[in-house]
Amino acid sequence: MFRIPETHPRYKSLLKREKIVAGIEAGITSRQGLIAHGRGEAFDYLIGERTLPAALRATEAAAALLLTAQKPVISVNGNVAALVTERVIELSELIGAPLEVNIFYWTEARVMKIKEHLEQHGATNVLGDKADARIPGIEHARARVDKDGIYTADVVLAPLEDGDRCEALIAMGKKVVTIDLNPVSRTSKYATVSIVDDIERALENLILMIKEKKKGEVKLLEDYDNKENLQAVINEIMERLKNEALR
Ligand code: PTJ
């Protein structure tokens, strides 16, 4: 990896770029993943590279939903595997959910590389190599899922997802939690709970909240409305941008 000095004002952001580049070099991340990451970065600039209050509320709704799920599954793509390997494994263990490799720019080699990468870092339950079921209504490779995994899950955590699979999972009766820096993406709009935050920050908060919630009785956030929450995110972004240049 290119060495970024910790004193650099954009250290965290530059380090994430390096992780994506290293992911590509290791055969884990797609080249298109760079473009997706750049789009995420642009939204993160507008957000202020911090967790918005409305995103924290969505994270709390997600924590409750994942903890009360009968059969949660965490979908992992090439960007997720490169950016948050340890965190996604920790979350999987905390909620007893398998990780399922599911990629858009599908090649068998990349599926196997991501699976191996997760296992080398300690993951013990990684699915996605069977791909013995299909999500109805999707023609691209993301339709390929494991029967024992996403296909029969009741709640799917699908970070950096594409809109049509999110819509198709919802049409199958599943609840979908997504993490996406774009509050107006189709994924954000379709999901049951959309966390508009960077994946590193979102998983860090999610893990903390889940650890805290596990100490007591877990209740769903009954008054949580995803569309209202997304609007709150957009309002918080607009509020932040007022007078930004004068600061
Ligand atoms: O590994 P593959 O083949 O499954 O490909 C993965 C990507 C991400 C390339 C693929 O799913 C894709 O093309 O995704 P999209 O449609 O570009 O959507 C990715 C979304 O994730 C966009 O809305 C970005 O704003 C958002 N995003 C990018 N980086 C981050 C992010 N959201 C949270 N944290 C990030 N670090």
Side-chain angles (χ1 to χ4, degrees):
M1 272 203 228
F2 187 79
R3 202 188 75 79
I4 314 285
E6 280 183 43
T7 49
H8 194 290
R10 305 215 37 76
Y11 175 72
K12 281 191 180 169
S13 176
L14 293 176
L15 197 62
K16 281 178 215 171
R17 285 188 182 180
E18 290 309 310
K19 286 187 181 175
I20 293 285
V21 171
I24 294 171
E25 284 167 359
I28 290 166
T29 308
S30 66
R31 285 173 301 160
Q32 293 85 343
L34 275 173
I35 300 165
H37 185 77
R39 181 150 53 142
E41 272 189 357
F43 277 105
D44 210 17
Y45 243 86
L46 300 179
I47 286 170
E49 295 177 306
R50 69 200 161 118
T51 301
L52 295 169
L56 209 54
R57 176 145 174 81
T59 311
E60 200 188 339
L65 194 56
L66 289 165
L67 276 173
T68 53
Q70 298 295 314
K71 192 176 174 192
V73 175
I74 303 170
S75 183
V76 178
N77 66 23
N79 285 47
V80 172
L83 287 170
V84 282
T85 320
E86 281 86 6
R87 284 188 180 110
V88 98
I89 296 170
E90 185 180 357
L91 180 65
S92 144
E93 275 159 18
L94 260 180
I95 60 171
L99 299 170
E100 180 164 338
V101 181
N102 183 274
I103 57 178
F104 184 80
Y105 299 101
W106 189 89
T107 66
E108 193 169 3
R110 200 152 67 84
V111 172
M112 295 320 292
K113 284 246 166 91
I114 296 174
K115 184 170 156 63
E116 276 163 26
H117 174 74
L118 293 166
E119 286 169 349
Q120 276 162 9
H121 283 80
T124 52
N125 194 1
V126 187
L127 310 175
D129 50 345
K130 278 204 199 125
D132 50 358
R134 285 191 80 87
I135 300 170
I138 300 200
E139 282 177 18
H140 55 72
R142 259 221 228 280
R144 307 159 60 110
V145 286
D146 277 22
K147 206 178 270 171
D148 289 343
I150 289 174
Y151 193 74
T152 45
D154 60 339
V155 178
V156 182
L157 171 62
L160 281 63
E161 179 69 15
D162 47 79
D164 53 348
R165 191 174 75 135
C166 181
E167 189 182 5
L169 289 171
I170 297 277
M172 285 176 84
K174 300 179 192 306
K175 297 209 160 76
V176 179
V177 175
T178 190
I179 301 170
D180 187 335
L181 278 160
N182 179 356
V184 292
S185 72
R186 290 189 328 120
T187 308
S188 292
K189 287 185 178 171
Y190 283 127
T192 317
V193 177
S194 310
I195 304 174
V196 181
D197 203 358
D198 170 69
I199 185 143
E200 284 187 358
R201 297 194 301 267
L203 285 188
E204 203 172 295
N205 290 331
L206 193 57
I207 288 168
L208 284 175
M209 278 183 193
I210 286 177
K211 283 184 179 163
E212 205 43 49
K213 279 189 189 291
K214 276 180 100 169
K215 291 180 191 161
E217 195 199 339
V218 184
K219 286 202 191 110
L220 286 173
L221 268 63
E222 296 296 351
D223 60 342
Y224 179 84
D225 181 291
N226 201 51
K227 287 262 162 81
E228 274 175 20
N229 194 264
L230 280 176
Q231 191 54 54
V233 166
I234 294 165
N235 294 346
E236 284 168 11
I237 295 172
M238 291 196 303
E239 198 51 44
R240 192 194 104 73
L241 289 178
K242 273 188 204 162
N243 301 319
E244 174 61 19
L246 300 175
R247 256 178 239 156

